[in-house]
Amino acid sequence: MARNTEKRQTGRKAQKRSTNKQHKFLFVVGGVMSGVGKGVASSSIAKILQARGLTVTAIKIDPYINVDAGTMNPTEHGEVFVLGGGLETDQDMGNYERFLGTDIPDINYMTTGSVYQEVIRKERNLEYDGKNVEVVPHIPLQVIKRIKKAAQVANADVTIIEIGGTVGEYQNILFLEAVRMMKTKTPDDVAVVMVSYLPVPGSIGEMKTKPTQTAARTLNSAGVFADFILARGPVALDKKRKEKIAQFCNVEPQNVISAPDVASVYDVPLNFEKDKLSERICNVLNIKKIQKSDLSAWRRFVAKSKNGHDTVKIAVVGKYFNSGDFILSDVYLSVLEAIKYSAYKLGLKPDIHYISSLPFEDKKKLKELKQYDGILIPGGFGTTGILGKLNVVKYARENKIPYFGICYGMQLAVLEYAKNKLRMKNVSTTEIDPSAQHLVIDIMPEQKEKVAKSDMGGTMRLGEYPAVLKRGSIARKAYGADEISERHRHRYEVNPEYVEKLSAGGLVFSGTSPDERLMEIVELPKDIHPFFVGAQFHPEFHARPLSPHPLFTAFVKASYEGK
Ligand code: GLN
């Protein structure tokens, strides 16, 4: 908690430091349907503006009543991305951080719930001077206040604001009202991009513009007019349809941008620049002084991502993959991206398989794991799929397959070791069996009170905390540093009462909190196992295309070397 307060103060100081620069705002809204890559489009626009020498930040607005994304089931909503300040947010925040290569503060994420919560708090605190507090204008005004504050904290030339959902939904109308109000007040400082979708129905084989026209009209009915239309679709937009959209949607033809499906999301900024999008946005926003675009480092990364020589085959064993008849890989998005960046850095082609832990409850199935060069168990909650995961850890440990456990994956590695290697009886974690005699993973004392009060939202150990690394360890070697800072999201931890016993039994706690109370990294010595490492934190939240995460790189390297 103390650290979070510190963060907030840093935010306030940054605010004071902010110059009186002219902040510009670019809203990104969705038309036609969701899931067409609005987050990637927003991140890519942020990237190309940054490449022009501008200071850019990005905000995500989610129209849910949930105050943050922490209470949402990942199969409903995708990955919960934890910011350095500790806020549990939408995975798009991860895209912004990865594309921009910067940390983004908590203020840049808002939901309907968090906006209402703040307005109600202010009303209770008599901050509205006895006025009627109304949905309009007070909710949009609060939204605008948050947006402007974020721009100030980042000292941003341009702030990109992605509004979740699709125009025409009841849910985001108050956010569109905020756009309308801002645009009316400062028309030169606000622009709107509508990310639309142009289907090519199989039966006719022709790209249809009508849904986009309808979406533009729906947006207009909220008093908001798009300056740009990004035409997402299975193929590129042709000239004829570009002109049609321009005419019917009241947008300049050169501001209708073709955005066909691409093999890699990292191509998107480069494709946008083929249409000179950054220049056009700067024109519309009246940004005069811009540098020549420099995307050279990005271009090198994209080239590397396509030139891998050998393959490295990694299994990510989780439980949040199934949604009806579909497989969801979004749930572990940051983990998957982190593996890719490290593989690219090593000149390798990542071949990542998402597999459910459930079938591995049957030990006969474990043989199937032989085909993988490395096994990763990411974070998770609850008891479903645990038996399977424990069997997988045992298999990886005994068969010397490189293993990387993240958060729950680390806790299960400790449990598996205690159970199978140290042959401890009646051993478990509090999360699985609180009545077990030896709880090698236990609830943190601070968390105990919260759980007792059924106050579960936003109560885990969240955000960045420092850790010190043990000399000579795999972790120390990977990081090349004695002290690190990583993001956390957990309620349980290695029980300090068992640290001595586990250490005597061969587990190395190579990363601890500076006061040595919390075990942050566990590993087996290299002469026992080529790579058996668990991290209580989530390194994936720090992995960036242009700076892959050292622990992931060490894992992928060990996996490849053991092939
Ligand atoms: N369920 C575990 C805990 O709360 C691990 C959390 C995680 O993997 N993010 O500590």
Side-chain angles (χ1 to χ4, degrees):
M1 250 358 251
R3 276 190 52 268
N4 282 347
T5 320
E6 206 177 285
K7 280 252 144 78
R8 260 179 253 130
Q9 280 165 357
T10 320
R12 264 203 289 276
K13 255 189 239 150
Q15 220 179 310
K16 272 200 198 128
R17 269 203 310 272
S18 166
T19 56
N20 285 335
K21 74 158 73 162
Q22 188 81 359
H23 299 296
K24 303 284 182 176
F25 301 91
L26 184 72
F27 288 91
V28 180
V29 300
V32 178
M33 64 188 203
S34 65
V36 296
K38 214 167 358 114
V40 169
S42 305
S43 308
S44 302
I45 292 173
K47 186 77 213 168
I48 57 174
L49 293 174
Q50 185 192 50
R52 288 280 187 175
L54 298 167
T55 305
V56 184
T57 194
I59 295 177
K60 174 77 195 271
I61 299 180
D62 266 336
Y64 311 109
I65 296 289
N66 302 59
V67 172
D68 58 42
T71 54
M72 295 183 210
N73 186 325
T75 50
E76 295 259 327
H77 182 258
E79 174 183 77
V80 175
F81 190 86
V82 181
L83 297 176
L87 192 68
E88 297 166 283
T89 71
D90 181 76
Q91 63 189 31
D92 279 331
M93 299 302 290
N95 282 325
Y96 307 158
E97 286 201 344
R98 288 189 280 267
F99 277 69
L100 283 171
T102 52
D103 286 359
I104 292 184
D106 290 0
I107 178 108
N108 287 36
Y109 181 67
M110 73 178 108
T111 64
T112 298
S114 70
V115 174
Y116 271 85
Q117 195 181 45
E118 181 59 8
V119 169
I120 292 169
R121 187 201 62 73
K122 280 163 59 177
E123 183 271 331
R124 295 285 83 187
N125 201 34
L126 307 179
E127 289 178 37
Y128 287 104
D129 295 331
K131 287 207 186 76
N132 277 8
V133 182
E134 314 215 39
V135 169
V136 178
H138 294 104
I139 297 297
L141 283 173
Q142 181 63 30
V143 172
I144 294 171
K145 201 169 173 181
R146 284 277 291 269
I147 292 172
K148 291 196 168 164
K149 191 166 171 200
Q152 256 178 5
V153 168
N155 200 13
D157 296 305
V158 185
T159 303
I160 316 271
I161 308 107
E162 181 189 345
I163 301 182
T166 313
V167 296
E169 286 177 42
Y170 276 130
Q171 299 209 75
N172 54 24
I173 197 79
L174 293 170
F175 300 113
L176 295 180
E177 178 61 6
V179 183
R180 190 194 66 77
M181 287 163 83
M182 276 181 83
K183 180 91 181 176
T184 308
K185 211 161 178 191
T186 50
D188 285 354
D189 298 340
V190 177
V192 177
V193 177
M194 184 173 86
V195 180
S196 191
Y197 189 77
L198 288 101
V200 182
S203 52
I204 33 179
E206 184 201 334
M207 184 176 248
K208 303 304 283 181
T209 62
K210 194 73 83 196
T212 299
Q213 297 177 37
T214 311
R217 237 166 258 143
T218 309
L219 183 63
N220 296 167
S221 67
V224 178
F225 295 81
D227 299 281
F228 295 88
I229 291 185
L230 288 188
R232 289 278 300 111
V235 290
L237 189 67
D238 61 359
K239 190 158 175 275
K240 187 173 162 205
R241 284 168 187 77
K242 191 179 244 200
E243 281 164 3
K244 200 167 173 183
I245 292 175
Q247 188 176 30
F248 286 108
C249 302
N250 221 3
V251 175
E252 306 256 350
Q254 71 269 26
N255 291 349
V256 178
I257 309 289
S258 171
D261 289 346
V262 281
S264 156
V265 295
Y266 303 109
D267 284 327
V268 178
L270 305 177
N271 283 355
F272 281 173
E273 278 311 62
K274 284 185 195 148
D275 274 339
K276 299 199 168 61
L277 184 57
S278 64
E279 196 182 307
R280 298 197 198 291
I281 290 175
C282 290
N283 278 341
V284 172
L285 282 174
N286 272 304
I287 301 173
K288 298 271 158 16
K289 275 188 263 152
I290 48 168
Q291 299 169 11
K292 202 165 158 281
S293 170
D294 180 8
L295 282 165
S296 50
W298 193 261
R299 241 176 254 284
R300 276 196 300 278
F301 158 75
V302 171
K304 251 197 140 186
S305 76
K306 291 176 181 165
N307 293 335
H309 48 90
D310 287 347
T311 300
V312 61
K313 193 169 174 181
I314 307 284
V316 176
V317 185
K319 69 166 182 176
Y320 300 116
F321 287 132
N322 299 330
S323 169
D325 291 341
F326 299 92
I327 298 283
L328 294 173
S329 56
D330 261 15
V331 175
Y332 305 108
L333 184 67
S334 298
V335 171
L336 303 181
E337 296 310 296
I339 298 172
K340 288 187 202 166
Y341 305 153
S342 289
Y344 299 155
K345 180 182 168 145
L346 297 165
L348 299 169
K349 256 193 261 168
D351 178 16
I352 306 170
H353 296 248
Y354 325 122
I355 48 180
S356 167
S357 63
L358 290 165
F360 297 110
E361 287 180 9
D362 175 2
K363 289 195 177 145
K364 289 200 285 294
K365 288 254 172 351
L366 288 164
K367 289 196 296 292
E368 289 171 17
L369 293 172
K370 245 195 204 116
Q371 56 180 305
Y372 299 106
D373 304 322
I375 295 174
L376 187 152
I377 297 191
F381 293 86
T383 50
T384 327
I386 290 308
L387 275 181
K389 283 189 188 173
L390 283 170
N391 285 342
V392 170
V393 181
K394 181 169 189 276
Y395 188 86
R397 184 176 58 77
E398 291 180 345
N399 291 280
K400 304 205 189 307
I401 301 176
Y403 173 79
F404 190 16
I406 295 178
C407 207
Y408 215 4
M410 176 261 203
Q411 297 172 357
L412 293 175
V414 172
L415 172 58
E416 187 280 322
Y417 198 82
K419 197 173 165 147
N420 299 320
K421 177 76 184 171
L422 305 185
R423 303 204 172 279
M424 285 169 69
K425 294 268 169 306
N426 204 356
V427 57
S428 192
T429 94
T430 313
E431 188 166 5
I432 301 172
D433 178 11
S435 67
Q437 188 187 353
H438 300 291
L439 292 166
V440 283
I441 307 292
D442 196 11
I443 193 150
M444 293 188 256
E446 301 88 332
Q447 304 300 330
K448 220 172 238 170
E449 289 164 33
K450 289 171 184 160
V451 174
K453 283 193 257 161
S454 297
D455 176 17
M456 306 284 264
T459 60
M460 285 182 269
R461 182 166 178 246
L462 291 164
E464 279 201 33
Y465 288 90
V468 289
L469 305 180
K470 198 183 177 110
R471 293 215 155 250
S473 64
I474 296 176
R476 170 70 183 69
K477 200 166 155 231
Y479 278 100
D482 292 320
E483 191 167 332
I484 57 166
S485 177
E486 293 282 7
R487 297 186 191 172
H488 293 250
R489 181 174 187 244
H490 61 116
R491 195 167 276 128
Y492 304 90
E493 59 159 324
V494 174
N495 186 342
E497 286 173 27
Y498 290 92
V499 168
E500 213 179 297
K501 188 176 167 89
L502 293 165
S503 304
L507 272 186
V508 178
F509 291 103
S510 54
T512 65
S513 56
D515 64 4
E516 296 181 7
R517 200 172 68 89
L518 305 174
M519 300 301 116
E520 302 282 31
I521 307 179
V522 63
E523 59 186 71
L524 283 177
K526 238 186 139 85
D527 51 342
I528 305 284
H529 194 288
F531 189 96
F532 189 86
V533 177
Q536 181 57 79
F537 47 82
H538 290 268
E540 68 271 24
F541 295 145
H542 272 161
R544 310 264 164 86
L546 304 187
S547 54
H549 194 284
L551 275 187
F552 276 91
T553 306
F555 165 63
V556 174
K557 188 163 181 279
S559 302
Y560 177 66
E561 284 170 355
K563 248 173 104 119

